Amino acid sequence: MPQAREVARRVFAKEFNASNMLFKESEDQYSPQYVLTPTGAKCNRVFIVGTLTEKSDIGNDSEYWRGRVTDPTGAFTIYAGQYTPEAAQALSDIEVPSFVAVIGKPSSYKGQDGNPVITVRPEIIVPVDGDTRDLWVKDAIEATAERLQALKAGSTPDAVKAKEHYNPNVDEYRTMLQNAAKSLKSMEVVVTNAR
Amino acid sequence: MVKELARELKEKFSSMGAPDVPLKEIEQKLDLLVNQYKVPEDEARRTVYNQYARDLKLQRPQAGGDAELVKIKDIAKDGMWISLNAKVMQLWESDKSSIAQVGLLGDETGIIKFVVFAKSELPLLAEGKSYHFSKLVTDSWQGRFSVKLNKATVITPIDDIDTGGAETTMTGAIVDVQSGSGLIKRCPECNRPLNKGMCVDHGKQDGEYDLRVKAVLDDGRTAQDIILNQEMTYKVTGIDVKIAKKMAMDAVDPAVVLDEIKRILLGKYFTVRGRVAGGRYLLVNEMDRTAKDITLDEVLKKVEAI
């Protein structure tokens, strides 16, 4: 049996960027790399929809694109180069700003302060519409709310692990979700007024 | 000893639908082999049995014995003898002369591909009708299961089976469109997709054009493989075989069809309805862009419940 495909987790940028726990489940070199986020999302793959606000080719010899994808809570940093040619090509073609969907793998490098900086290596990046962005915000709110509930109850192994490692402030994340929800409302108002 | 063997064989033939084989004749044949040609008894019985079985076109006795009645979702091993109560969901075209019928069977738990070989000489199945199938053999190919009807299979019409329960609905984002999607060619013999004009079983073929999508729908909990057939592909993407052929011709590259399908599907939310076949693929019957009917209060309620 081939290994089951890794599910794409829904995580907001603020939470994703606060992650610093990377691990593998076995010593095997092909064993997948995971990032555990503060609310207990075990990510080997993420699905993000947001606004591509910046992009630049920072490569020397070959193209190496860095982009910033913002959501209501912060921004993801994405990198695409010669090892993900399709994503690199797509990123170079997409205009800034625009709504994009990114399916990708968490990646990391050591920041100046010695802590890991978590980024996303896109497998796929495509332009999407505003409705898709709103659906994702709702999706990510619900997924995060579920994880927070599991965290409080200690009902899943990932939740227990996350609580042990991060001991996150649940109120802070609840406020983050409330703010994210407000971003849905303001968009709806704009659309109604336009009509 | 020979007499005993002969009686045993006679009984066996009767149970297989040939009661008229003369006992004397069986005895003579056995006697010739055992006593004159010094053939061991087991071997002699086997020889005589095979001779009659061939001449009278007798059905071999069941390899699997009682062929247990199972549900489609429980089929998880090949080479098993089973029985099913199932409805003929779809009949597919097959130009292959050795195949009488091929299509999908469904029950309340799932669907599975079936094949009827021409040499089995079974009555033809009607699409939409339900049957009790006694003595089928399970098979698998690349991890997907199918059932084969054979000479021993007994088909009895039964009351309509409700297959609705096997349908599932799922809302999520399309996170991958896999290679093998878009404009493909199928082997006219076995319907399998050709790879560079070659069929794994039937060698070089001209092939027939088809259009399909193999994708992954991900709701954050499960990554579900889905398949859109030609009809569904058209409904969702607006591309049919004719348009796809023109696109490929204009661009001198069949990959443009796949690129266009990817552009339409990837990263977007869809609600799909269909059946899971062979334990892996969800065969899509209905597929729509997920409507943006977000009720802010409901979303906030979920947040406040934390």
Side-chain angles (χ1 to χ4, degrees):
Chain A
M1 265 318 257
Q3 206 167 4
R5 185 190 163 93
E6 290 282 347
V7 170
R9 306 290 171 191
R10 275 64 155 167
V11 183
F12 281 113
K14 181 183 154 86
E15 178 184 350
F16 188 77
N17 294 337
S19 308
N20 60 15
M21 187 184 185
L22 293 94
F23 65 97
K24 283 183 162 201
E25 286 185 331
S26 84
E27 297 292 311
D28 188 274
Q29 71 172 109
Y30 297 111
S31 154
Q33 163 100 50
Y34 293 99
V35 168
L36 189 77
T37 68
T39 68
K42 188 177 128 190
C43 315
N44 172 261
R45 176 175 280 129
V46 289
F47 175 55
I48 303 161
V49 182
T51 313
L52 181 70
T53 52
E54 287 172 23
K55 65 164 188 181
S56 49
D57 180 5
I58 56 164
N60 294 322
D61 302 332
S62 58
E63 285 195 8
Y64 191 56
W65 286 89
R66 180 175 61 199
R68 235 174 119 77
V69 178
T70 65
D71 73 9
T73 72
F76 296 92
T77 308
I78 62 175
Y79 286 100
Q82 55 176 323
Y83 298 111
T84 49
E86 267 189 65
Q89 178 65 43
L91 190 51
S92 81
D93 289 345
I94 299 169
E95 280 177 34
V96 173
S98 56
F99 288 126
V100 292
V102 174
I103 296 121
K105 301 268 186 183
S107 182
S108 74
Y109 65 87
K110 209 173 212 165
Q112 280 164 353
D113 57 359
N115 291 324
V117 176
I118 313 287
T119 64
V120 178
R121 194 160 34 83
E123 299 165 292
I124 289 163
I125 173 165
V126 281
V128 293
D129 53 12
D131 279 3
T132 303
R133 180 265 182 198
D134 284 3
L135 283 166
W136 180 82
V137 170
K138 174 183 173 252
D139 198 5
I141 290 173
E142 287 174 355
T144 310
E146 262 175 47
R147 287 198 300 271
L148 284 171
Q149 257 165 348
L151 198 79
K152 275 176 88 178
S155 55
T156 66
D158 292 339
V160 172
K161 221 158 133 189
K163 189 161 188 177
E164 241 175 55
H165 183 80
Y166 296 100
N167 194 23
N169 183 340
V170 172
D171 287 338
E172 196 185 312
Y173 280 106
R174 190 194 293 122
T175 311
M176 174 189 87
L177 295 184
Q178 279 162 343
N179 288 336
K182 276 176 204 151
S183 88
L184 289 171
K185 192 172 187 180
S186 61
M187 284 212 42
E188 277 169 7
V189 171
V190 171
V191 172
T192 326
N193 289 347
R195 279 191 199 135
Chain B
M1 211 52 198
V2 165
K3 276 204 165 100
E4 220 169 277
L5 274 180
R7 244 193 321 268
E8 190 191 307
L9 277 174
K10 163 107 181 144
E11 251 170 59
K12 199 163 188 173
F13 293 143
S14 299
S15 74
M16 291 165 72
D20 306 329
V21 185
L23 188 64
K24 263 266 164 316
E25 196 181 291
I26 302 172
E27 224 179 286
Q28 275 167 10
K29 285 181 198 254
L30 283 169
D31 184 62
L32 184 78
L33 288 169
V34 174
N35 297 325
Q36 199 170 333
Y37 290 99
K38 309 293 177 204
V39 176
E41 281 176 16
D42 268 0
E43 196 59 30
R45 184 180 58 180
R46 192 191 131 97
T47 307
V48 174
Y49 168 81
N50 282 345
Q51 197 181 338
Y52 278 108
R54 193 175 56 239
D55 291 352
L56 300 170
K57 292 200 170 71
L58 293 181
Q59 287 177 354
R60 285 171 179 281
Q62 279 322 301
D66 34 349
E68 196 186 343
L69 183 67
V70 298
K71 297 289 182 204
I72 287 173
K73 78 163 169 40
D74 297 326
I75 295 172
K77 210 176 155 198
D78 54 14
M80 297 290 286
W81 287 80
I82 55 156
S83 297
L84 280 179
N85 287 325
K87 183 191 231 167
V88 180
M89 312 289 303
Q90 276 180 25
L91 287 174
W92 299 338
E93 306 256 320
S94 166
D95 298 335
K96 198 177 179 183
S97 58
S98 66
I99 289 177
Q101 285 184 302
V102 56
L104 294 175
L105 293 180
D107 68 9
E108 60 272 29
T109 68
I111 53 176
I112 195 162
K113 182 183 162 183
F114 76 93
V115 180
V116 188
F117 293 102
K119 66 174 188 215
S120 307
E121 292 168 355
L122 289 169
L124 285 181
L125 303 171
E127 199 168 288
K129 287 275 189 301
S130 299
Y131 302 91
H132 172 75
F133 298 92
S134 177
K135 294 168 185 165
L136 305 168
V137 181
T138 62
D139 192 12
S140 74
W141 187 71
Q142 291 195 349
R144 278 171 272 169
F145 290 99
S146 62
V147 289
K148 294 196 152 74
L149 281 68
N150 54 65
K151 273 187 184 171
T153 306
V154 182
I155 303 169
T156 327
I158 54 170
D159 288 342
D160 189 56
I161 284 180
D162 178 19
T163 53
E167 288 224 328
T168 50
T169 304
M170 182 173 164
T171 295
I174 299 288
V175 296
D176 199 11
V177 173
Q178 288 158 337
S179 60
S181 299
L183 192 61
I184 58 162
K185 277 188 161 186
R186 287 186 185 278
C187 173
E189 297 282 324
C190 63
N191 212 33
R192 290 214 286 260
L194 300 178
N195 183 10
K196 293 185 175 130
M198 298 283 282
C199 171
V200 281
D201 276 357
H202 304 98
K204 200 158 169 50
Q205 298 283 343
D206 279 343
E208 287 156 14
Y209 280 107
D210 192 10
L211 194 62
R212 68 158 178 193
V213 177
K214 287 168 75 177
V216 180
L217 186 75
D218 186 317
D219 67 358
R221 291 174 196 84
T222 322
Q224 174 68 53
D225 288 306
I226 65 169
I227 290 188
L228 281 69
N229 64 11
Q230 204 181 112
E231 195 190 330
M232 279 314 304
T233 303
Y234 174 69
K235 272 183 76 180
V236 178
T237 66
I239 302 171
D240 61 15
V241 172
K242 210 173 134 192
I243 296 170
K245 273 162 84 174
K246 188 169 182 321
M247 286 167 69
M249 219 108 75
D250 288 353
V252 205
D253 182 5
V256 294
V257 181
L258 180 56
D259 287 347
E260 179 63 6
I261 291 170
K262 281 183 174 174
R263 194 188 63 77
I264 294 168
L265 297 180
L266 278 176
K268 297 177 184 90
Y269 282 87
F270 285 89
T271 300
V272 309
R273 191 170 170 75
R275 276 166 239 272
V276 175
R280 176 163 175 199
Y281 289 100
L282 190 147
L283 305 182
V284 178
N285 291 332
E286 282 172 52
M287 179 160 176
D288 294 294
R289 283 292 292 273
T290 305
K292 200 195 99 181
D293 53 351
I294 302 168
T295 320
L296 197 60
D297 286 348
E298 268 177 40
V299 176
L300 283 171
K301 219 179 271 173
K302 277 181 191 150
V303 176
E304 264 130 43
I306 299 163

